[in-house]
């Protein structure tokens, strides 16, 4: 049995990742590739419960270290129960956010060191990395306009953080791509969904060829 491929979608809020994840899965399925579309934080019962703890706006919230540990715990459950078994069964896994979100949000913007975030990932998830990570980039005004429609003033605890925080997230993602260009593909998320989808297919083509 061939091992599946693991593709992560990353980027700031309102970049269109979840729409594009569904479109990519449909295109791959049409070519006979079985796909699992999932998201973080979440994807399993336990990780979805942790998602509620992380993103709910009631209560006092979490300091950066506790937040990073909760994301790592959710990811550990997700990797063990869903991602690794799917890959081992030959399925392609398309994940809306993965460890680079922890590096960008809890690391770059939250103040933890990159080494600490990666240590948590090693302990929790055996350091599993996607075969390819697509970074969706979008102009901040465009993201704000999309989020105004999607969230209607009810942003979650992390999405609702201030502009300075989200600017640090974007800067961190840009640093990761510059440091490891072979692991990432940059996707211009400003265009309409079909144009962005074409760019996604092009980025993923190399993985499909290597099948
Ligand atoms: P979600 O509604 O899925 O956001 P989006 O649609 O923008 O992807 O909420 C996930 C939030 O959690 C988002 O603000 C990013 C944040 N996050 C982290 O801070 N660290 C992480 O490791 C992950 C996976 C997400």
């Amino acid at each position: 049995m061939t091992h599946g491929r693991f593709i992560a979608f990353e980027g700031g809020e309102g970049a269109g990742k979840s729409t594009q994840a569904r479109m990519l899965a449909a295109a791959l399925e049409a070519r006979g590739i079985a796909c699992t579309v999932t998201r973080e934080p979440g994807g399993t019962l336990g990780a979805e419960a942790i998602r509620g703890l992380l993103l709910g706006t009631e209560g006092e919230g979490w300091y950066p270290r506790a937040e990073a540990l909760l994301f790592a715990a959710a990811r550990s459950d997700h990797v063990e129960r869903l991602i690794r078994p799917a890959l081992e069964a030959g399925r392609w896994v398309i994940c809306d956010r993965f460890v680079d979100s922890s590096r960008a949000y809890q690391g770059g913007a939250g103040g933890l060191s990159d080494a600490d975030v990666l240590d948590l990932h090693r302990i929790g998830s055996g350091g599993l990395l996607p075969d390819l990570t697509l970074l969706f980039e979008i102009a901040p005004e465009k993201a704000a306009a999309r989020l105004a429609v999607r969230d209607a003033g009810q942003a979650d605890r992390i999405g609702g953080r201030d502009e300075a925080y989200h600017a640090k997230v974007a800067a961190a993602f840009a640093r990761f791509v510059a440091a490891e260009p072979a692991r990432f593909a940059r996707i211009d998320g400003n265009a309409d969904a079909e144009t962005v989808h074409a760019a996604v297919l092009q980025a993923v083509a190399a993985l499909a060829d290597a099948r």
Side-chain angles (χ1 to χ4, degrees):
M1 170 77 68
T2 41
H3 202 265
R5 301 275 183 278
F6 181 19
I7 303 168
F9 282 19
E10 295 282 12
E13 321 284 313
K17 297 183 302 301
S18 32
T19 307
Q20 291 297 328
R22 286 193 297 273
M23 290 173 82
L24 174 60
L28 292 172
E29 295 267 2
R31 294 186 205 169
I33 298 175
C35 293
T36 295
V37 180
T38 187
R39 68 165 181 186
E40 291 208 343
T44 59
L45 281 176
E48 290 289 337
I50 296 175
R51 178 185 179 93
L53 296 176
L54 278 162
L55 301 183
T57 47
E58 67 291 342
E60 303 177 276
W62 306 100
Y63 284 117
R65 278 167 208 289
E67 186 174 287
L69 285 160
L70 285 169
F71 274 111
R75 184 162 301 125
S76 175
D77 196 64
H78 191 207
V79 165
E80 280 203 46
R81 290 186 196 274
L82 188 140
I83 297 178
R84 280 199 199 278
L87 292 172
E88 279 159 18
R91 300 178 70 84
W92 287 36
V93 175
I94 301 165
C95 192
D96 186 349
R97 298 192 179 279
F98 196 64
V99 68
D100 290 305
S101 276
S102 287
R103 297 176 68 210
Y105 285 79
Q106 285 64 55
L112 263 77
S113 75
D114 197 43
D116 280 351
V117 175
L118 288 171
D119 269 350
L120 295 181
H121 186 51
R122 178 180 51 75
I123 295 164
S125 301
L128 177 71
L129 287 179
D131 297 298
L132 178 67
T133 296
L134 304 187
L135 176 64
F136 289 79
E137 295 174 304
I138 179 175
E141 320 74 76
K142 189 146 195 142
R146 285 187 189 169
L147 290 172
V149 175
R150 184 186 83 176
D151 297 343
Q154 304 279 303
D156 63 55
R157 189 187 295 284
I158 296 180
R161 288 178 182 160
D162 65 15
E163 254 175 61
Y165 182 89
H166 290 290
K168 283 185 195 162
V169 168
F173 278 129
R175 279 200 307 278
F176 304 158
V177 180
E180 285 186 276
R183 195 160 75 73
F184 290 91
R186 299 182 97 125
I187 302 288
D188 178 356
N190 291 296
D192 60 279
E194 282 302 333
T195 307
V196 177
H197 176 57
V200 169
L201 285 181
Q202 201 176 2
V204 167
L207 283 182
D209 293 345
R211 217 176 149 221

